[in-house]
């Protein structure tokens, strides 16, 4: 197995009374509540954590969200550029630029190719469909995301892999008549590809394309359903069985000296779910297309209806979760090194082999010191054993 | 009064059409939701006119072809429908989003349209670049949208717990369809205001006095761009005068129809 470190770089320092009064911690919270001096410290700490990972053999992950306390990485390609230069050894995963929000995938391809070249071929490209408040922040139509997602991917990949001068793209969602990026990527024909999804239909398409399917805070049941669809689609297409390197899992991970410390400090990571996910209904359940129209009765009704199944969005059901619940669901691995290793091994036995473990190991009010301690312990005591799996 | 809901084949699309009444044809293009056959205004209008109210493909429980997803498609669909109606003039009335469609059709000078009625219509940009004309129905808190939609929000805001499953599915599909057609540019065509001067039929612009989605000032600016258009306010109504003041609304509409 390989480990990947993700720090979404949240900004938790908004006064609680402001958060309590706000209908959403993303999308609409005024940026006057974000002190640039504190943000600068957070960026420096996060980048230092990534450099530590570079030394101790944990790959690094940068992601992207906009306009909220959950994540300051709105200008994701900038972070990628810094990582490409400042790290020297590890792989760098972008998970990812929000391609359903960006209007020109060719520009995205240029950014990726440049980061791949600066890093001398250490870039991996992850695609996410996005949704929620990102549609408001990105001025992007929430209807038609899936269609736009695949067309953007096709255009990014063609821009990255095309070597013969300008080509023209006149698609449904994107037009660009003269595509010719310089430089092309270091890795030919393009860097390795990932996508984050727990949706079985999307996973099936990832399977047919051989793209790494990474789960982000998904339960074991959702994971098995998605990966099952991935395998089945490959079988049906007459493609070889996927190896474990096609699958990844993202979890809150904290390794302490003792179980008590691991769980106590690790519990701070759940801030991401309990505070960072709070979103106004217009960005969430009432965003057109967020949930199938057929599920509207459960969505709109304020009282239970006989015969109507619940229609919670995947992440919404996780708000308010306790450490014990998160650990039982495989969303969090925490404890001393033996416990963390055992929890990961058991989870892997439950959902099937996966090569990539993304460590969401700093969030909320966890300090830089706590995060680096946990990462060092993980790299020294847990990772060598995981590599044997 | 007898209602017929038909499926009309228009250019290969099975269009759902509500029909009620006899006589002078009144083609009604709906706003954020298809015209509810049970709403009093339908009977009031149908007592003196032939109401023809199609459901835009994708709204309510209607189907939408996969390659049909822009206002351009809707405008051409209704230009086709107008050609298919029995010979004679038609009064075209558009409510809210349907008002945008009606204005486009009238600016295209369909030879079948003899009168135009715009009701709390969207479709043009009149304010400066930092002043939105149209309340953002998608990015605004739902309670605020309802507060600005109605003259009497307490009376008219729908109670989801009192709605059938079918109605709620229809409501969700309405939002999806509107979002698909009109997310960007948001509920307007940046070019339409330039061409409203082409509208060459008598036009009535009707507006709810308390409309907080598109204000009466926007309605006045809309009407001012249409040669000879009359602008009238309906008191004690918001974005939906046809629902909040069906009697006064029907009176104004019927008075404007050709003899």
């Amino acid at each position: 197995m390989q480990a990947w470190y993700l720090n979404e770089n949240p900004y938790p320092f908004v006064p609680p009374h402001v958060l309590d009064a706000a209908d959403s911690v993303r999308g609409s919270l005024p940026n006057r509540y974000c002190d640039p001096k504190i943000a600068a410290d957070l960026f420096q700490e996060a980048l230092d954590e990534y450099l530590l990972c570079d030394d101790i053999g944990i790959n690094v992950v940068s992601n992207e969200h906009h306009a909220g306390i959950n994540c300051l990485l709105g200008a994701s390609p900038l972070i990628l550029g810094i990582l490409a230069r400042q790290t020297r050894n590890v792989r760098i995963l972008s998970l990812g630029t929000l391609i359903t929000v960006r209007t020109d995938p060719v520009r995205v391809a240029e950014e990726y190719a440049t980061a791949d070249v600066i890093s001398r071929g250490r870039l991996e490209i992850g695609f996410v469909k996005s949704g929620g408040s990102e549609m408001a922040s990105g001025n992007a139509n929430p209807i038609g995301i899936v269609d736009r997602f695949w067309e953007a991917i096709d255009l990014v990949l063609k821009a990255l892999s095309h070597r013969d001068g300008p080509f023209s793209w006149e698609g449904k969602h994107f037009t660009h008549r003269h595509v010719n990026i310089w430089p092309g990527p270091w890795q030919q024909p393009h860097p390795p590809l990932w996508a984050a999804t727990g949706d079985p239909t999307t996973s099936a398409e990832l399977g047919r394309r051989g793209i790494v399917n990474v789960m982000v805070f998904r339960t074991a049941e959702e994971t098995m359903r998605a990966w099952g669809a991935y395998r089945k689609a490959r079988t049906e297409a007459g493609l070889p069985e996927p190896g474990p390197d096609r699958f990844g899992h993202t979890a809150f991970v904290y390794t302490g000296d003792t179980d008590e410390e691991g769980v106590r400090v690790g519990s701070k990571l759940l801030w991401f779910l309990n505070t960072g996910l709070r979103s106004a209904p217009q960005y969430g359940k009432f965003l057109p297309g967020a949930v199938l129209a057929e599920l509207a009765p459960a969505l709109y009704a304020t009282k239970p209806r006989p015969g109507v199944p619940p229609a919670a969005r995947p992440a919404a059901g996780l708000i308010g979760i306790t450490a014990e619940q998160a650990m039982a669901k495989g969303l969090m691995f925490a404890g001393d090194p033996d416990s963390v290793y055992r929890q990961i091994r058991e989870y892997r036995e439950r959902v099937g082999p996966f090569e990539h473990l993304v460590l969401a190991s700093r969030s909320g009010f966890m300090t830089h010191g706590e995060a680096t301690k946990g990462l060092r312990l993980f790299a020294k005591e847990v990772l060598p054993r995981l590599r044997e799996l | 009064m007898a209602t017929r809901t038909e499926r009309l084949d228009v250019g290969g699309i099975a269009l759902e059409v509500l029909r009620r009444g006899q006589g002078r044809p009144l083609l009604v293009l709906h706003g954020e939701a298809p015209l509810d056959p049970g709403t009093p205004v339908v009977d009031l209008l149908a007592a003196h006119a032939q109401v023809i109210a199609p459901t835009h493909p994708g709204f309510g429980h209607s189907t939408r072809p996969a390659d049909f997803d822009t206002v351009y498609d809707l405008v051409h669909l209704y230009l086709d429908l107008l050609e298919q109606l029995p010979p004679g003039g038609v009064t075209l009335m558009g409510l809210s989003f349907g008002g945008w469609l009606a204005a486009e059709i009238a600016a295209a000078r369909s030879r079948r349209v003899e009168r135009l009625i715009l009701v709390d219509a969207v479709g043009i940009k009149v304010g400066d670049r930092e002043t939105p004309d149209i309340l953002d129905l998608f990015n605004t808190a739902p309670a605020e949208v309802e507060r600005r939609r109605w003259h009497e929000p307490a009376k008219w805001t729908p109670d989801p717990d009192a709605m059938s499953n079918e109605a709620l599915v229809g409501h969700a599909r309405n939002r999806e369809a509107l979002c698909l057609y009109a997310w960007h540019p948001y509920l307007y065509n940046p070019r339409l205001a330039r061409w409203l001067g082409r509208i060459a039929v008598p036009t009535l612009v009707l507006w709810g006095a308390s409309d907080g989605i598109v204000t009466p000032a926007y309605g006045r600016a809309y009407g001012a761009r249409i040669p000879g258009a009359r602008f009238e306010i309906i008191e004690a109504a918001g974005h939906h005068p046809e629902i909040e003041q069906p009697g006064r609304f029907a009176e104004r509409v019927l008075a404007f129809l050709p003899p």
Side-chain angles (χ1 to χ4, degrees):
Chain A
M1 281 184 79
Q2 302 184 51
W4 303 74
Y5 175 59
L6 168 66
N7 177 352
E8 299 207 53
N9 210 11
Y11 188 96
F13 305 108
V14 178
H17 71 273
V18 173
L19 290 183
D20 290 345
D23 65 348
S24 188
V25 302
R26 330 173 148 203
S28 52
L29 197 66
N31 70 9
R32 67 172 175 270
Y33 296 115
C34 179
D35 181 343
K37 296 186 186 70
I38 297 175
D41 291 343
L42 291 171
F43 276 116
Q44 299 291 338
E45 289 176 2
L47 289 165
D48 285 345
E49 288 155 22
Y50 284 131
L51 292 180
L52 169 67
C53 288
D54 194 44
D55 290 336
I56 62 180
I58 297 176
N59 299 311
V60 296
V61 185
S62 163
N63 74 330
E64 176 176 326
H65 285 288
H66 298 264
I69 65 170
N70 53 307
C71 176
L72 295 179
L73 306 179
S76 183
L78 293 183
I79 305 301
L80 215 55
I82 295 169
L83 293 176
R85 165 66 180 175
Q86 289 210 299
T87 63
R88 299 285 164 161
N89 309 302
V90 292
R91 307 285 303 168
I92 304 161
L93 169 63
S94 165
L95 194 64
T97 289
L98 301 185
I99 50 170
T100 57
V101 165
R102 291 281 293 270
T103 49
D104 186 3
V106 175
R107 186 60 188 256
V108 174
E110 281 181 322
E111 291 160 2
Y112 278 149
T114 303
D116 193 39
V117 169
I118 293 172
S119 71
R120 298 186 197 277
R122 289 182 290 117
L123 181 69
E124 313 224 349
I125 298 175
F127 298 112
V128 293
K129 276 186 296 208
S130 192
S133 63
E134 306 299 336
M135 297 294 110
S137 304
N139 204 35
N141 195 334
I143 300 295
I145 283 184
V146 174
D147 205 30
R148 215 156 66 228
F149 177 71
W150 287 114
E151 189 183 324
I153 290 175
D154 290 343
L155 177 49
V156 167
L157 294 186
K158 183 159 184 188
L160 288 172
S161 56
H162 189 81
R163 312 294 290 165
D164 305 320
F167 71 88
S168 173
W169 189 276
E170 293 178 331
K172 178 170 171 58
H173 301 285
F174 306 105
T175 60
H176 199 123
R177 302 199 305 279
H178 206 78
V179 185
N180 186 29
I181 65 168
W182 280 64
W186 177 285
Q187 299 171 90
Q188 297 289 328
H190 56 70
L193 304 178
W194 298 49
T197 186
D199 163 44
T201 309
T202 308
S203 288
E205 183 60 20
L206 297 182
R208 286 186 284 272
R209 294 177 181 231
I211 295 173
V212 176
N213 188 184
V214 60
M215 297 292 135
V216 180
F217 307 126
R218 297 281 186 167
T219 62
E221 293 68 33
E222 290 173 309
T223 301
M224 288 186 283
R225 201 158 52 228
W227 291 352
Y230 189 109
R231 290 197 181 85
K232 182 159 171 270
R234 284 189 70 83
T235 308
E236 285 171 0
L239 296 163
E241 181 79 1
D245 69 336
R246 296 298 89 188
F247 301 111
H249 177 66
T250 307
F252 301 109
V253 180
Y254 195 78
T255 315
D257 287 320
T258 62
D259 277 342
E260 186 278 329
E261 184 193 32
V263 174
R264 177 173 45 81
V265 181
S267 298
K268 296 185 177 190
L269 298 168
L270 298 176
W271 176 95
F272 172 84
L273 301 177
N274 296 333
T275 306
L277 279 184
R278 267 186 40 217
S279 187
Q282 67 269 25
Y283 305 137
K285 64 179 190 172
F286 293 152
L287 186 75
V291 175
L292 284 175
E294 287 64 33
L295 300 177
L299 209 60
Y300 281 90
T302 63
K303 300 169 190 156
R305 291 191 172 209
V308 173
R313 296 172 67 239
L318 301 176
I319 295 177
I321 198 170
T322 64
E324 290 66 31
Q325 290 167 332
M327 289 167 74
K329 285 177 185 292
L331 293 167
M332 182 159 98
F333 306 127
D336 72 5
D338 287 344
S339 296
V340 170
Y341 168 72
R342 192 191 67 251
Q343 290 163 32
I344 295 169
R345 196 193 61 213
E346 285 173 2
Y347 186 74
R348 207 167 170 272
E349 282 160 7
R350 192 163 146 205
V351 299
F354 55 90
E355 166 82 17
H356 309 284
L357 177 64
V358 179
L359 316 170
S361 292
R362 184 172 176 194
S363 192
F365 291 100
M366 184 182 283
T367 65
H368 176 61
E370 288 167 335
T372 51
K373 177 182 178 180
L375 285 168
R376 284 180 201 279
L377 260 177
F378 181 89
K380 182 157 175 273
E381 305 288 346
V382 183
L383 188 54
R385 284 191 266 175
L386 291 179
R387 287 209 176 99
E388 306 296 314
L389 288 177
Chain B
M1 197 178 293
T3 300
R4 286 183 294 150
T5 302
E6 300 175 358
R7 276 185 198 282
L8 273 184
D9 185 320
V10 183
I13 289 171
L15 191 62
E16 273 182 21
V17 182
L18 163 74
R19 276 182 191 266
R20 198 178 297 175
Q22 304 287 326
R24 301 167 292 181
L26 175 65
L27 177 59
V28 183
L29 302 183
H30 69 77
E32 296 139 70
L35 203 60
D36 173 1
T39 197
V41 77
V42 181
D43 272 350
L44 293 171
L45 293 171
H48 303 280
Q50 181 194 162
V51 174
I52 306 165
T55 297
H56 313 321
F59 282 77
H61 296 274
S62 70
T63 55
R64 175 184 63 81
D67 65 346
F68 187 103
D69 49 18
T70 64
V71 163
Y72 186 87
D73 296 312
L74 288 166
V75 167
H76 283 80
L77 173 72
Y78 292 129
L79 285 168
D80 270 0
L81 172 64
L82 280 161
E83 294 298 318
Q84 254 175 255
L85 294 176
V90 174
T91 298
L92 176 62
M93 176 163 79
L95 314 168
S96 181
F97 173 63
W100 173 8
L101 305 177
E104 295 272 6
I105 291 163
R109 290 198 183 157
S110 162
R111 62 195 174 91
R112 302 299 306 277
V113 175
E114 63 174 342
R115 305 239 162 159
L116 174 67
I117 305 172
L118 301 179
V119 183
D120 298 81
V122 300
I124 61 170
K125 173 73 193 160
V126 301
D128 64 53
R129 66 184 185 184
E130 286 159 49
T131 309
D133 297 314
I134 306 162
L135 178 69
D136 196 322
L137 298 172
F138 302 112
N139 293 337
T140 307
E144 174 67 5
V145 172
E146 294 307 311
R147 195 183 67 73
R148 292 181 53 172
R149 182 190 298 284
W150 306 103
H151 176 72
E152 282 185 275
K155 179 173 175 189
W156 294 102
T157 298
D159 171 10
D161 291 322
M163 291 166 74
S164 68
N165 289 344
E166 198 192 356
L168 287 170
V169 171
H171 175 71
R173 296 194 84 239
N174 291 340
R175 281 179 59 81
E176 285 185 14
L178 188 70
C179 188
L180 171 78
Y181 289 119
W183 177 272
H184 185 75
Y186 175 64
L187 280 173
Y188 70 92
N189 171 1
R191 304 309 315 142
L192 178 57
R194 169 78 177 70
W195 298 103
L196 287 177
R198 293 191 83 237
I199 295 177
V201 294
T203 300
L204 172 64
V205 180
L206 271 181
W207 226 267
S210 312
D211 190 350
I213 290 178
V214 271
T215 63
Y218 177 86
R220 275 197 187 86
Y222 212 134
R225 284 168 167 76
I226 301 172
R230 206 159 84 210
F231 178 82
E232 291 182 15
I233 285 281
I234 296 185
E235 297 297 338
H239 190 59
H240 303 284
E242 78 283 6
I243 296 174
E244 284 190 282
Q245 296 296 338
R248 275 186 266 166
F249 175 86
E251 241 171 65
R252 307 286 185 91
V253 169
L254 293 170
F256 185 70
L257 294 185

